Amino acid sequence: MREAVTLSDVAREAGVSPSTVSRVINGTARVAASKREAVLRAIERLHYRPNILAKGLAQGRSLTIGVITQEISSPYYGEMLKGVEQALEGTTYHPIFASGHWRVDQEEAALKVLVSRQVDGLIVMDGSVPEERLQELAHTMPVVVVGRKIPGLQCLGIDNRQGAYEGVQHLIELGHRRIAHIAGPTSHPDAIERLEGYRAALEDAHIPFDPALVVVGDYMEQSGLLAVEALLARGALFTAIFAANDQMAYGANVALYRRGIRVPHDVSLVGFDDLPSSSYFTPPLTTVRQPGPAMGWEAARLILALLEGRDYTPKPLSTQLVVRESTALIRSSGALAAHLLT
Amino acid sequence: MREAVTLSDVAREAGVSPSTVSRVINGTARVAASKREAVLRAIERLHYRPNILAKGLAQGRSLTIGVITQEISSPYYGEMLKGVEQALEGTTYHPIFASGHWRVDQEEAALKVLVSRQVDGLIVMDGSVPEERLQELAHTMPVVVVGRKIPGLQCLGIDNRQGAYEGVQHLIELGHRRIAHIAGPTSHPDAIERLEGYRAALEDAHIPFDPALVVVGDYMEQSGLLAVEALLARGALFTAIFAANDQMAYGANVALYRRGIRVPHDVSLVGFDDLPSSSYFTPPLTTVRQPGPAMGWEAARLILALLEGRDYTPKPLSTQLVVRESTALIRSSGALAAHLLT
DNA sequence: CGGATGCTTGACAGCGCTTTCAAAATCTGG
DNA sequence: CCAGATTTTGAAAGCGCTGTCAAGCATCCG
């Protein structure tokens, strides 16, 4: 393990004081051309790399942005993290991630880790730590919240209700009237909003809401599969499904496939999120796009602005219906019960 | 922005010296029970959280493990990162990620960022920074490489050749003889090994290798789609496809779907990786599982051991054929040309 | 040509913590 | 009860860097 080259090594090599080296590195003050040259050459010669930690300690900041996600391997968070990473690229800041696994205690632990590591700002994606906890943290550092609405904090998010509304409306326009909904966990505000959007779209089309057509899932593929099986088992009649996220739509699709029910021939399917894999799904999934990378990007830019005391108005984040091949015009009404016979 | 509580604040509050506080926090030396009590109470009262950065600076380490991936949002790397995260949980170390985007220059930049941030150890996943560069880095800190074989370094990886062999063998056992291969980029050693496994399996079954049945992709979905179109366009005859990874298999599946070629009825499809979404694919994808989380986990444990000067022999990482519903016995030979007419 | 003005530069303290070293406190046993 | 061994404790230096401050220098103008 080789000894690290420090700033004073460079100073000695260049025949100047450490302060001067610091100045040429950071451009904090003007330095005579000749000395600057000498310093740069010394840096080159010694392969000097500044120690960001020491810099951070001296400046009272870490040049690090903490990001709390729920599950780093989830494609949904992956997209947002990518956006954060991109936004921070080229700045002196770097993200550091910690996962809450949808559990308050783990989220709290993740928060503690990030605080101990002196993050300069915090991006919180979803989760369920108490509002007060985040508000309290916001006294210490800039905090931006994605996917939750917390009074007094900078919040970023999409209009879930509107997105769901459009997804369902699309099905209605295709002639569907018996539309099942695989909802997200009732503990998630976004799941509730999507359910509201679903109901609103039905209502506006004068289609009565049928509770038997709604099954609650947990946003994971498996629960989508189970939901369809439950629907089928209880003899529910439907010609379309609106899933509260793509992953549950994937699961639903498998369940339908196993029963020989074809998408979109027999049943139309709409998801929510537009994960990267959804366009390569078979059939390519019609879904309500949520701009994952943009959400991460805006959150990061906002933190950066907050950190520099600048003003920044994040671009509005809107959902967009992406029509692919998992939805089709309803067939003759006879089809409606067809799969019940299966 | 509130002032942070420091160790000396605690010391003052508890009426002891900073050294003593440090000692009770780290358990580095025995402290009289009464003083320990006082310190703990003070910590409690002041809500003190140690500053890991300062600790790191003082100890000459950062308690941080750098991880270079190619793309953080890729499901493949996501799985490995999850493993790393889990392995580090409960230790004093925390991972910090940087992405190379499959470009040497960006990878080098990522490396520089991590080095500047004084990571104590480095996990490199794939990529193409020169071997010498990594060997040089290994003089400075422990390095473990996943998915590449670099002389002198700790390397972790699966037997790509064997994995591919088993995937192709499975198809052969189902009666397929004209098996197309969507290969990975020729610059990736693992892609080459998988191609070799493909050829070896054919050879062992006395099936002549037909270069016209091989198309090179780039591991992304789109290239799988394009590959199948190319195959079809050039009139290639095949009843099965072995894709060098799941993502390209997804793309291939869409291309087949668009042409009305059914999987597995008309063409069987095998992937490689077993991404989480593959079991919810339609049809659920037969694939060669690569133990993503385990790879990340072992890499992290190995680094940890290296850091502590312990010995650690990583568990062997092996691939496993997962047979799902995208492969089937070959149909009558007449089917072979069927989709050519499409 | 001398004093005033404006730049460039180095010394030094300090960021929050660890760790060595030696002094202070406590404990032995003769 | 005291010398000596042992343990507990605090003072102080230092990790690599920044940033203030004042000294050093060149330049300018009357």
Side-chain angles (χ1 to χ4, degrees), chain B residues 17 19-20 23 30-32 35 58:
Chain B
S17 75
S19 331
T20 302
R23 283 190 271 256
R30 86 173 333 107
V31 167
K35 305 220 170 189

Side-chain angles (χ1 to χ4, degrees), chain A residues 3 33 59 63 83 88 127 140 164 171 173 196 218 247 251 286 310:
Chain A
E3 275 308 301
Q59 295 187 142
L63 300 174
L88 257 29
T140 318
L171 289 169
E173 284 168 359
E196 283 173 11
D218 66 1
Q247 288 173 270
T286 293
R310 273 188 293 114

Side-chain angles (χ1 to χ4, degrees), chain B residues 185-206:
Chain B
T186 45
S187 57
H188 281 46
D190 45 52
I192 294 174
E193 289 169 29
R194 290 174 199 178
L195 174 58
E196 283 173 12
Y198 162 78
R199 294 192 61 158
L202 293 183
E203 190 166 326
D204 287 0
H206 307 294

Side-chain angles (χ1 to χ4, degrees), chain A residues 53-72:
Chain A
L53 267 52
K55 175 178 186 140
L57 182 59
Q59 295 187 142
R61 46 188 210 154
S62 63
L63 300 174
T64 301
I65 308 284
V67 184
I68 299 255
T69 67
Q70 297 310 310
E71 184 67 69
I72 195 171

Side-chain angles (χ1 to χ4, degrees), chain A residues 17 19-20 23 30-32 35 57-58:
Chain A
S17 77
S19 329
T20 302
R23 284 190 268 257
R30 83 174 337 106
V31 167
K35 304 221 171 190
L57 182 59

Side-chain angles (χ1 to χ4, degrees), chain A residues 5-131:
Chain A
V5 182
T6 75
L7 182 139
S8 17
D9 294 333
V10 174
R12 198 172 327 109
E13 174 84 7
V16 300
S17 77
S19 329
T20 302
V21 177
S22 170
R23 284 190 268 257
V24 352
I25 291 176
N26 300 297
T28 18
R30 83 174 337 106
V31 167
S34 65
K35 304 221 171 190
R36 165 181 297 111
E37 285 298 303
V39 169
L40 292 177
R41 264 202 310 279
I43 287 178
E44 189 67 27
R45 212 159 30 226
L46 266 40
H47 299 296
Y48 169 70
R49 315 233 96 244
N51 179 335
I52 303 261
L53 267 52
K55 175 178 186 140
L57 182 59
Q59 295 187 142
R61 46 188 210 154
S62 63
L63 300 174
T64 301
I65 308 284
V67 184
I68 299 255
T69 67
Q70 297 310 310
E71 184 67 69
I72 195 171
S73 66
S74 133
Y76 173 62
Y77 291 108
E79 288 294 286
M80 301 211 283
L81 295 184
K82 183 178 177 176
V84 170
E85 203 184 36
Q86 283 175 348
L88 257 29
E89 206 146 281
T91 72
T92 43
Y93 289 87
H94 197 85
I96 168 169
F97 307 126
S99 310
H101 306 288
W102 290 283
R103 286 181 40 188
V104 185
D105 57 335
Q106 298 226 31
E107 234 175 293
E108 178 56 38
L111 234 34
K112 285 217 174 81
V113 166
L114 296 184
V115 171
S116 282
R117 292 193 171 260
Q118 311 295 118
V119 295
D120 294 333
L122 193 62
I123 298 176
V124 178
M125 302 189 155
D126 305 321
S128 40
V129 270
E131 301 197 341

